Amino acid sequence: MAEIIQKDGTWVFDGAALRLTSGRDKNVGVLRRALGELVVPLGALAGISFEQGRRQGRLRLRLRDGADPLLHATGGRLAEPHDPYRLTVEPDRYGVAEYLTDEVRDALLLAGVPGTPVSGYLLPGPPLPLSVSAGDGTASFDGERVRLEWNWKTEDAKAAAGPRTLALADILGVEWQPSAGLENGHLRFRVTGAPVRERAKYDPNAVELWGFRRDPLMALVAAAVQARLPHPSAAAAAEASREPDAPAGDDHDALLRRLRELGELHRAGVLTDEEFTRAKQAVLRRL
């Protein structure tokens, strides 16, 4: 067993999984604290690295694409204080960090774990029920329904419709976007038959986030919902199966129109970056 204990957190590797527990240091973000202990099976790992610095070092885990609903829902946008897969290491523990890194790498090599994407989530997502208040509303999820309730800061046009209840079966996708600079963030649900508003401020299926302390906690709701939606690999396979065979004649023009449509859906926010890339590649393979 390999173990490293730091103010930033504790990582323990038993040969089959890594147990990540957040610390209580002031630099640990609210999201990591709320996650508590994460158990990452060896098969979910694509790699581990350790970077030394003069004042402190960094341990970093790299997960296989599609293994963690939290990473998928947040799209790699978690800032370091909230990222559970990074650990700050003090200089007097560099040797321990290097030992743990070698142990994990050796285990990955012996087990023959590939670095390729997975076809199903290998982490379960946050426990339920779950409720978070931040920005202009509260998002709750019980495993079957998402409920959005508004507060006094909500735009009148959005609040006038009252609370929203979204059945899981009607949710096509979810994303969490942090605020950046002058741009506000959001927790947004893409719902069957409902257009995506450009701004979360006016979107009844989105909570607008303004960069306050609790904003990252909305990523918990995003991850919990994502964990219960069809895995992205299944969505990509379904999209590919709907594509026609190799085009001839006028079909070539139809595929070009399809590419333009995908671009418009991506710009409108209906398709995420990942969904757009996959759908575009499926069309290009047939051009």
Side-chain angles (χ1 to χ4, degrees), residues 146-171:
V146 171
R147 183 171 175 82
L148 302 177
E149 299 177 82
W150 314 117
N151 57 38
W152 64 273
K153 295 171 284 189
T154 309
E155 179 70 21
D156 290 344
K158 187 162 80 170
R164 297 275 292 168
T165 299
L166 310 175
L168 182 63
D170 293 331
I171 297 176

Side-chain angles (χ1 to χ4, degrees), residues 49-127:
S49 65
F50 174 57
E51 304 162 3
Q52 293 189 18
R54 288 187 177 181
R55 300 182 62 182
Q56 57 187 17
R58 292 285 188 280
L59 271 169
R60 301 176 190 266
L61 286 183
R62 183 166 57 88
L63 271 62
R64 297 169 65 187
D65 288 345
D68 182 14
L70 174 65
L71 292 183
H72 184 76
T74 56
R77 293 182 287 264
L78 288 174
E80 183 163 348
H82 306 292
D83 188 342
Y85 302 118
R86 302 184 191 184
L87 183 72
T88 301
V89 180
E90 299 301 321
D92 62 349
R93 290 294 181 269
Y94 281 2
V96 178
E98 289 173 344
Y99 174 70
L100 184 142
T101 300
D102 290 341
E103 288 291 292
V104 174
R105 286 175 175 169
D106 289 346
L108 287 171
L109 183 62
L110 289 172
V113 177
T116 54
V118 299
S119 58
Y121 292 120
L122 300 180
L123 280 82

Side-chain angles (χ1 to χ4, degrees), residues 170-213:
D170 293 331
I171 297 176
L172 300 174
V174 58
E175 66 175 25
W176 172 83
Q177 173 75 54
S179 59
L182 299 178
E183 294 293 326
N184 292 335
H186 61 259
L187 170 67
R188 189 192 303 276
F189 299 94
R190 292 189 292 107
V191 181
T192 302
V196 175
R197 305 287 179 86
E198 184 175 350
R199 298 178 62 186
K201 180 177 183 178
Y202 303 108
D203 190 339
N205 297 318
V207 176
E208 186 180 37
L209 304 174
W210 300 310
F212 296 149
R213 181 176 179 272

Side-chain angles (χ1 to χ4, degrees), residues 190 196-198 256-273 276 279-280:
R190 292 189 292 107
V196 175
R197 305 287 179 86
E198 184 175 350
L256 290 177
R257 287 196 298 272
R258 176 62 172 157
L259 282 175
R260 287 194 292 269
E261 291 170 359
L262 290 172
E264 292 170 359
L265 291 171
H266 180 236
R267 287 190 292 273
V270 176
L271 294 177
T272 65
D273 292 345
F276 170 67
K280 182 177 70 173

